[in-house]
Amino acid sequence: MQRRTKIVATLGPATDDQTVLAAMIRAGTDVVRVNFSHGKTEDHARRIELVRAAAASADRYVGVLGDLQGPKIRIERFAQGRVTLAEGSPFTLDVSLDPAAGNAEAVGVAYKDLPRDLHSGDVLLLDDGQIVLEVEKVDGPRIRTRVRVGGALSDQKGINRQGGGLSAGALTDKDRADVRAAAGLGIDFLAVSFARDASDVLEARQLLRDAGGEGFIVAKIERSEAIQNLTSIIDASDAVMVARGDLGVEMGYAELTGLQKTIIHQTRNRYRVVITATQMMESMIHSPMPTRAEVSDVANAVMDGTDAVMLSAETAVGKYPVKAVEAMANVIRGAEKYQLAHSRVRHRVEGQFQGTDEAIAMAVMYTANHMRVRAIVALTESGSTPLWMSRIRSDIPIYAFTRHEMTRRRVTLYRGVYPVPFDITDTDPQALYTAIFAQLLKRQLVSIGDLVILTQGELSGVSGGTNSMKILKVSAG
């Protein structure tokens, strides 16, 4: 049985070897992540070119996700590289301090508006919550704090306010430049970091379209404000990412599992795609095997219904990038086997269908789950019909037959959907079924006599025009 949940792997120095990258793709990488926080545009272009070549060699389609850096809400540097903060001692965050002059009493801050956002009694979490500071006074550019939880603190660690509330916008000038670069690189997905509300997502989409980009927009849910505005953010996006690092810090780690399940459930119910990310197999940066806790973490995300799970430093800078992908693929298969034995198929039960293609998609999935159907074939232009169908849990593979390269790469992120190159405009309508069967048989996806469901539009080659379904028996010609 094919793995349905997709794998996103981050590119970095560890993947620059063409042999390693090719092995990662063979191991199951479906989408690669380009992190705009590191490297120059030419570095990203070179890596994307390597991905395209490796994918072509493996006869696979691999999507590209560009991840914007977002605002730098972090401390600056220490003169000695790091300090140790003692519990109960005073410590000052000073936006006017020399960026390289930090010491055990004070450190600079990259986000210059931080004093304006804070008040006495606020709690600040540094380095993913490893250091906890309580604000005692805001004195012009200086934030006087008391160390509540101490420890070692090194350069350029992140700052979060417990409960959220920092006013930094999601898009910086650097991000806007990177959006233009992403359009030129032809990325398939663009992730907006620290999105607060729908307006951040819409701004990124407009910037990308103005620059000629056609990629989908992914909203990263990592602020408390994003949880408050979750429904509108989902509706404004094509996909969301559960970015559990900063989200866990701002909302509290005790809330994280429930939040993850809520985000996945709401996203799928609103017919969007969802990625679960951050520290999924963190130990594999240095170890060839994941921990039992990491295995359970990945499996739970899969069983919650996530479309994709993401590897970050594990593949970007880790010692075992290929093994990390292999391990994740194995965990996914095990979780999906259990999930299908113990879960009920979900169908939409409220509201009205948005269009004919959604109605056809729901009819297909209901039929497929009540017949011995081996595969579903969607003749698609934009990929919307396979997306509708993939929102319903099923073990029946959905093959997106499309003539568009962008659509083939786009559906690599959709759970249970697999791209197949097929140009319906060059196919004799009288021989359409024969041509489809030939593609399926060549790839050993079906056998003679199997039932498949076909969806298509009356006007071939028109986006959003799907209006029919047919149940077909596979024949040799």
Side-chain angles (χ1 to χ4, degrees), residues 65-81:
L65 183 151
D67 196 341
L68 299 176
Q69 177 177 274
K72 294 181 182 179
I73 307 176
R74 67 188 190 192
I75 62 172
E76 295 285 12
R77 303 185 301 280
F78 294 98
Q80 302 301 319

Side-chain angles (χ1 to χ4, degrees), residues 401 420-422 434-445:
F401 276 52
V420 177
F422 188 83
T434 301
I436 291 171
F437 295 158
Q439 288 287 339
L440 293 171
L441 291 166
K442 182 177 74 172
R443 289 172 167 76
Q444 299 181 328
L445 302 174

Side-chain angles (χ1 to χ4, degrees), residues 253-262 304:
Y253 289 109
E255 302 285 330
L256 194 54
T257 300
L259 287 171
Q260 174 178 307
K261 292 177 182 294
T262 298
D304 286 341

Side-chain angles (χ1 to χ4, degrees), residues 5-26:
T5 306
K6 306 303 181 71
I7 296 173
V8 181
T10 302
L11 301 181
T15 68
D16 283 343
D17 185 322
Q18 180 75 20
T19 304
V20 171
L21 188 57
M24 286 171 56
I25 290 174
R26 288 195 302 272

Side-chain angles (χ1 to χ4, degrees), residues 37 239 276:
S37 297
T276 305

Side-chain angles (χ1 to χ4, degrees), residues 240-277:
V240 303
M241 182 187 295
V242 189
R244 304 180 304 177
D246 283 282
L247 183 63
V249 173
E250 288 209 358
M251 300 298 295
Y253 289 109
E255 302 285 330
L256 194 54
T257 300
L259 287 171
Q260 174 178 307
K261 292 177 182 294
T262 298
I263 296 166
I264 291 173
H265 178 72
Q266 289 196 25
T267 302
R268 289 183 63 85
N269 275 0
R270 303 190 79 80
Y271 294 90
R272 300 297 191 271
V273 179
V274 58
I275 305 165
T276 305

